[in-house]
């Protein structure tokens, strides 16, 4: 069932004061997806407004003013769907006040950060547990059952993959005949000995791997257009998460690489292999396989480019922001799914 155009209030961190360094963030791309569906979206950037609403530019000192501005926004806009992204500055009392103002409006939340304690089989996130009693649906980039351990059946939960947008992920590295990098990784090493050793082995490879490494091992960070230009110059990209055993979970680095046409090397994580096939991603079971796979695909470039092109098409077809936004709307309004989503098994209704 289709819906008429909606007024959607999206409360998240749009990083306006980063001045486009994070123009490709999930917050902005999701709003673009809702807009592509024909809905009117108002982006409320909680941290930016808090900083702007006090002379010291402190988000903590500006919190009360931000909440006042949010309540005014609700009065002016009268949203028909409220979408919460990372919105930790809103306490439970404020959310209850918003719901009282909008008694017939669905409230949903998405969350892309890990739900686990690092290297522990513990899933404990008080922020989501509290909000599960207020919102109608929480979407997570981990598997739904992982989130359900936290919310314990208080609200509907569902998985969504990290999403892409063709206006942001616009590169086609597989079609670039003059690539500068064999491999790129732009992420943290978390000061872990094993992670550092892995990255050092790639840097020091005697096979002459041209490795573009950012942030890890003391290298500079890279953001914005500069980051995406480097992706467009790379044959392969390495997708590493802090854990490989959490179903469906990966950082959005995977979709950024695939979305820019890079042959992506990723841990074979349960759930992700239902989303992408073996000819769309280079999977590995153990980190000690990575160097071997990098060297093989460096020496078989046409195969790497073919995987990259198939992966690029797959991620833009399956994980585009418009499609993810429609899935969120389907669940928010408790209507039949608009199509057969690859992750539709990852929906758990409240007890």
């Amino acid at each position: 069932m289709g819906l008429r155009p909606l007024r959607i209030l999206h409360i998240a961190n749009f990083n306006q004061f980063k001045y486009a360094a994070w123009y490709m963030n999930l917050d902005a791309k999701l709003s673009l997806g809702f807009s592509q569906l024909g809905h009117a979206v108002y982006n409320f950037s909680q941290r930016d407004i808090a900083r702007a609403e006090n002379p010291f530019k402190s988000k903590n000192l500006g919190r009360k003013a931000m909440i006042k501005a949010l309540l005014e926004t609700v009065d002016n806009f009268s949203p028909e769907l409220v979408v919460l992204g990372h919105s930790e500055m809103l306490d439970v009392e404020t959310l209850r006040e918003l719901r009282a103002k909008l008694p017939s409006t669905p409230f949903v939340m998405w969350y892309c950060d890990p739900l686990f304690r690092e290297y522990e089989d513990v899933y404990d996130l008080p922020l989501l547990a509290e909000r599960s009693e207020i919102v109608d649906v929480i979407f997570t980039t981990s598997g739904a059952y992982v989130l359900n351990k936290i919310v314990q059946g208080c609200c509907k939960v569902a998985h969504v993959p990290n999403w892409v947008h063709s206006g942001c992920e616009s590169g086609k590295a597989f079609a670039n005949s003059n690539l500068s990098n064999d491999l790129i990784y732009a992420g943290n090493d978390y000061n872990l000995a094993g992670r550092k050793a892995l990255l050092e082995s790639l840097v020091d490879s005697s096979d002459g791997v041209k490795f573009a490494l950012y942030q890890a091992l003391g290298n500079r960070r890279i953001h914005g257009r500069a980051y995406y230009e480097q992706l467009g110059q790379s044959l392969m990209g390495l997708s590493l998460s802090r854990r490989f055993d959490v179903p469906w979970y990966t950082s959005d680095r995977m979709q950024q690489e695939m979305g820019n046409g890079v042959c992506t090397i990723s841990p074979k994580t349960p759930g992700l292999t239902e989303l992408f096939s073996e000819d769309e991603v280079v999977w590995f079971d153990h980190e000690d396989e990575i160097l071997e796979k990098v060297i093989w695909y460096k020496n078989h470039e046409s195969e790497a480019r073919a995987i990259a092109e198939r992966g690029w098409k797959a991620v833009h077809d399956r994980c585009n922001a418009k499609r993810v936004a429609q899935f969120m709307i389907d669940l928010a309004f408790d209507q039949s799914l608009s199509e057969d989503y690859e992750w539709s098994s990852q929906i758990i209704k409240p007890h």
Side-chain angles (χ1 to χ4, degrees), residues 52 70 74 78 93 106 149 185 207 219 224-225 285 311 318 322:
L70 176 59
V74 167
S78 188
E93 291 72 22
K149 285 184 175 183
Y185 177 71
D207 293 82
N219 287 278
R225 192 62 204 154
D285 292 302
R318 298 170 202 156
K322 179 181 178 181

Side-chain angles (χ1 to χ4, degrees), residues 8-12 14 16 27-28 30-32 34-35 41-46 49 73 77:
I8 300 175
L9 175 60
H10 189 185
I11 306 168
F14 294 94
Q16 294 175 0
D27 317 57
L30 182 58
S31 287
L32 289 172
F34 285 126
S35 295
V41 185
Y42 187 84
N43 294 333
F44 188 92
S45 189
Q46 53 145 20
I49 291 173
T73 298
F77 191 53

Side-chain angles (χ1 to χ4, degrees), residues 145-193:
Y145 96 89
V146 177
L147 176 58
N148 205 45
K149 285 184 175 183
I150 297 172
V151 307
Q152 298 182 349
C154 287
C155 69
K156 190 183 302 181
V157 299
H159 168 74
V160 284
N162 293 298
W163 46 91
V164 298
H165 190 277
S166 59
C168 298
E169 282 77 28
S170 58
K172 294 182 180 179
F174 59 81
N176 186 345
S177 60
N178 189 28
L179 296 172
S180 303
N181 312 315
D182 296 318
L183 180 69
I184 186 171
Y185 177 71
N188 212 323
D189 57 30
Y190 302 108
N191 205 30
L192 299 172

Side-chain angles (χ1 to χ4, degrees), residues 13-22 25 27 45 47-48:
N13 296 324
F14 294 94
N15 294 309
Q16 294 175 0
F17 295 143
K18 298 289 186 182
Y19 304 116
W22 292 102
N25 68 8
D27 317 57
S45 189
R47 293 180 188 172
D48 292 326

Side-chain angles (χ1 to χ4, degrees), residues 128-344:
L128 298 185
E130 290 177 351
R131 293 182 177 204
S132 67
E133 299 179 2
I134 300 171
V135 303
D136 300 290
V137 192
I138 300 179
F139 300 94
T140 172
T141 53
S142 298
Y145 96 89
V146 177
L147 176 58
N148 205 45
K149 285 184 175 183
I150 297 172
V151 307
Q152 298 182 349
C154 287
C155 69
K156 190 183 302 181
V157 299
H159 168 74
V160 284
N162 293 298
W163 46 91
V164 298
H165 190 277
S166 59
C168 298
E169 282 77 28
S170 58
K172 294 182 180 179
F174 59 81
N176 186 345
S177 60
N178 189 28
L179 296 172
S180 303
N181 312 315
D182 296 318
L183 180 69
I184 186 171
Y185 177 71
N188 212 323
D189 57 30
Y190 302 108
N191 205 30
L192 299 172
R195 178 66 58 85
K196 286 184 173 182
L198 166 65
L199 296 173
E200 286 168 350
S201 73
L202 295 168
V203 171
D204 299 334
S205 170
S206 60
D207 293 82
V209 176
K210 292 180 287 186
F211 188 16
L213 179 63
Y214 298 96
Q215 187 172 350
L217 302 184
N219 287 278
R220 67 180 178 90
R221 300 188 70 169
I222 189 169
H223 301 297
R225 192 62 204 154
Y227 168 43
Y228 271 33
E229 285 176 353
Q230 283 299 306
L231 288 178
Q233 287 290 326
S234 303
L235 178 66
M236 294 172 278
L238 184 57
S239 175
L240 291 176
S241 301
R242 278 175 274 182
R243 280 177 56 178
F244 303 161
D245 62 335
V246 179
W248 294 90
Y249 176 73
T250 181
S251 76
D252 60 351
R253 189 177 302 107
M254 181 180 191
Q255 277 82 354
Q256 290 167 354
E257 291 171 357
M258 294 178 69
N260 282 287
V262 178
C263 177
T264 302
I265 302 172
S266 170
K268 187 183 285 186
T269 303
L272 294 183
T273 52
E274 297 179 40
L275 184 59
F276 302 118
S277 68
E278 290 190 355
D279 65 353
E280 296 164 343
V281 175
V282 176
W283 301 112
F284 64 85
D285 292 302
H286 305 286
E287 287 187 349
D288 56 11
E289 302 172 19
I290 295 174
L291 179 57
E292 178 183 348
K293 290 180 182 290
V294 167
I295 293 170
W296 194 90
Y297 282 103
K298 168 182 166 60
N299 294 326
H300 298 79
E301 187 173 316
S302 60
E303 286 88 342
R305 288 178 181 270
I307 291 172
E309 185 170 5
R310 288 190 293 266
W312 170 83
K313 185 177 188 305
V315 79
H316 281 284
D317 284 350
R318 298 170 202 156
C319 305
N320 66 78
K322 179 181 178 181
R323 190 171 187 247
V324 171
Q326 183 60 59
F327 176 75
M328 290 184 176
I329 287 173
D330 290 345
L331 267 64
F333 289 90
D334 201 24
Q335 59 187 22
S336 299
L337 293 181
S338 302
E339 57 178 291
D340 185 16
Y341 297 90
E342 291 77 11
W343 57 90
S344 58

Side-chain angles (χ1 to χ4, degrees), residues 96-107:
R96 292 193 189 283
E97 186 173 355
L98 291 176
R99 290 231 67 158
K101 280 178 168 285
L102 303 165
S104 60
T105 297
F107 279 59

